[in-house]
């Protein structure tokens, strides 16, 4: 039969993943833990650590995107992305642990307006992990990621300073255009962390939401992992490799006018976030 060409292989894989695979087994698992964001704030680094933990069962892919992109595929498809009860039982026998936890990490869940309600309806007992990062460097990293992906052709200045105007124009144009701009070109808006977390706080108890600061966990990964272990109630050990993952190659400097624009836009939100957390703000 040979190897299928990409033009056929990709659609066939999509049909298998979305339509056939969910029917092949009795998939009965769902996540206990969601790493919901923020985008470009260390979620890939954290899940790199998670994949090396006997107490955690990883999904088939890092970012399932069910609650923001694929909700129409339904719960059976979602469950097919996670270990079954039989697989969880096998892990118990291997490790002697009482119950391993399933998790997934989709950083767009924090920003997507429909995700909190969907998650609360489908996974009301889930524990949520949020990573936040200096919004200036999160915006720069997000912009650089879109440039590398071929989805951004404007200068950094045009993209950042023109974001609010572009979002408003897209909102007036059509829901589809607004949704596209919101997902791919929200560099400053994604740094309004407390505004996004508040959508989850109306549906989940504070005790089930844990916020970690990117700069803290990168500087002191052992302490960050210990905090997560306490939050989840499972043992977590520091693997050999703990360096940041998925780090983009962009210049770590920004024009003062652009930086001040992002600071001004996010300052009140940042103050509210760290007031809620009861700690001094790091940026």
């Amino acid at each position: 039969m040979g190897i299928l060409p990409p033009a056929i292989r990709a659609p066939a894989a999509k049909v298998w993943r979305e339509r056939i695979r969910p029917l092949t087994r009795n998939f009965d698992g769902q996540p206990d833990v969601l790493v919901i964001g923020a985008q470009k704030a260390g979620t890939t680094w954290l899940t790199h650590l998670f994949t090396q933990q006997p107490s955690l069962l990883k999904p088939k892919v890092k970012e399932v995107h069910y609650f923001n992109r694929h909700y129409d595929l339904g719960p059976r498809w979602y469950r097919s992305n996670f270990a079954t009860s039989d697989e969880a039982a096998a892990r118990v026998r291997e490790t002697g642990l009482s119950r391993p936890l399933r998790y997934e990490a989709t950083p767009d869940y924090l920003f997507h307006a429909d995700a909190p309600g969907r998650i609360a309806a489908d996974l009301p007992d889930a524990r949520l992990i949020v990573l936040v990062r200096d919004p200036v460097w999160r915006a720069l990293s997000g912009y650089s990621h879109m440039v590398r992906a071929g989805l951004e052709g404007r200068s950094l200045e045009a993209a950042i300073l023109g974001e609010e105007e572009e979002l408003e124009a897209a909102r007036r144009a059509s829901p589809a255009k607004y949704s596209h701009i919101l997902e791919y070109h929200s560099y400053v808006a994604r740094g309004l962390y407390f505004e996004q977390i508040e959508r989850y706080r109306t549906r989940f108890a504070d005790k089930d939401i844990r916020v970690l600061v990117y700069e803290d966990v990168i500087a002191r990964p052992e302490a960050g992992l210990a905090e997560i272990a306490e939050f989840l109630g499972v043992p977590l050990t520091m693997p050999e490799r703990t360096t940041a993952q998925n780090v983009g190659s962009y210049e770590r400097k920004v024009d003062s006018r652009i930086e001040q624009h992002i600071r001004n836009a996010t300052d009140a939100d940042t103050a509210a976030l760290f007031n809620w957390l009861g700690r001094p703000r790091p940026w």
Side-chain angles (χ1 to χ4, degrees):
M1 180 176 178
I3 299 175
L4 293 173
I8 297 176
R9 188 165 64 245
K14 180 179 173 65
V15 170
W16 164 261
R17 182 177 66 251
E18 296 183 359
R19 303 298 177 185
I20 301 174
R21 187 185 70 191
L23 304 176
T24 60
R25 299 174 61 186
N26 180 29
F27 292 103
D28 58 356
Q30 61 185 22
D32 307 281
V33 183
L34 297 178
V35 181
I36 61 174
Q39 185 191 75
K40 313 307 291 183
T43 57
T44 301
W45 172 86
L46 182 59
T47 53
H48 170 72
L49 268 59
F50 277 10
T51 61
Q52 301 175 70
Q53 306 297 327
S55 59
L56 300 177
L57 293 165
K58 67 180 181 179
K60 288 182 167 55
V61 293
K62 170 186 173 270
E63 299 182 15
V64 180
H65 284 289
Y66 176 61
F67 294 105
N68 63 319
R69 293 182 188 170
H70 304 311
Y71 200 61
D72 61 309
L73 294 177
R76 184 163 188 157
W77 176 83
Y78 187 52
R79 290 194 301 270
S80 75
N81 287 279
F82 302 98
T84 64
S85 294
D86 288 344
E87 291 166 332
R91 178 66 62 87
V92 170
R93 291 192 296 272
E94 292 169 7
T95 63
L97 297 169
S98 58
R99 186 175 83 89
L101 302 180
R102 300 174 182 86
Y103 72 90
E104 74 136 314
T106 300
D108 283 338
Y109 288 166
L110 181 63
F111 189 64
H112 196 279
D114 292 333
R118 292 170 175 174
I119 293 171
D122 294 357
L123 303 172
D125 299 321
R127 277 162 283 184
L128 311 175
I129 297 175
V130 180
L131 291 104
V132 297
R133 180 183 185 182
D134 185 324
V136 171
W137 301 112
R138 198 231 66 80
L140 182 59
S141 180
Y143 167 82
S144 299
H145 176 82
M146 291 303 169
V147 169
R148 293 193 302 274
L151 297 170
E152 179 60 83
R154 298 169 298 169
S155 68
L156 176 64
E157 179 179 9
I160 297 296
L161 301 186
E163 177 181 317
E164 188 173 353
E165 182 178 340
E166 183 180 25
L167 280 170
E168 183 54 36
R171 190 198 308 272
R172 293 194 301 267
S174 72
K177 185 172 183 179
Y178 177 67
S179 178
H180 175 83
I181 297 298
L182 198 66
E183 179 168 2
Y184 294 106
H185 302 295
S186 296
Y187 307 118
V188 180
R190 285 180 182 270
L192 298 170
Y193 305 121
F194 194 60
E195 177 183 297
Q196 299 163 59
I197 291 169
E198 283 284 81
R199 295 198 290 257
Y200 283 90
R201 292 186 68 211
T202 63
R203 297 172 172 88
F204 290 87
D206 284 358
K207 67 179 180 61
D208 293 323
I209 305 172
R210 183 59 54 96
V211 178
L212 297 103
V213 176
Y214 169 88
E215 290 82 0
D216 289 348
V217 295
I218 293 299
R220 296 177 293 278
E222 295 86 354
L225 199 62
E227 182 177 348
I228 296 171
E230 180 274 329
F231 174 59
L232 299 181
V234 296
L236 302 176
T237 57
M238 186 58 57
E240 290 185 6
R241 183 180 178 189
T242 62
T243 53
Q245 304 292 298
N246 199 26
V247 177
S249 56
Y250 59 91
E251 194 172 13
R252 269 35 174 212
K253 66 179 182 179
V254 63
D255 182 89
S256 60
R257 189 162 66 102
I258 296 173
E259 178 176 1
Q260 194 58 52
H261 176 83
I262 300 172
R263 297 278 180 223
N264 291 342
T266 58
D267 183 71
D269 184 271
T270 295
L273 171 62
F274 287 99
N275 181 63
W276 172 58
L277 293 175
R279 57 164 288 182
R281 54 184 293 180
W283 4 270

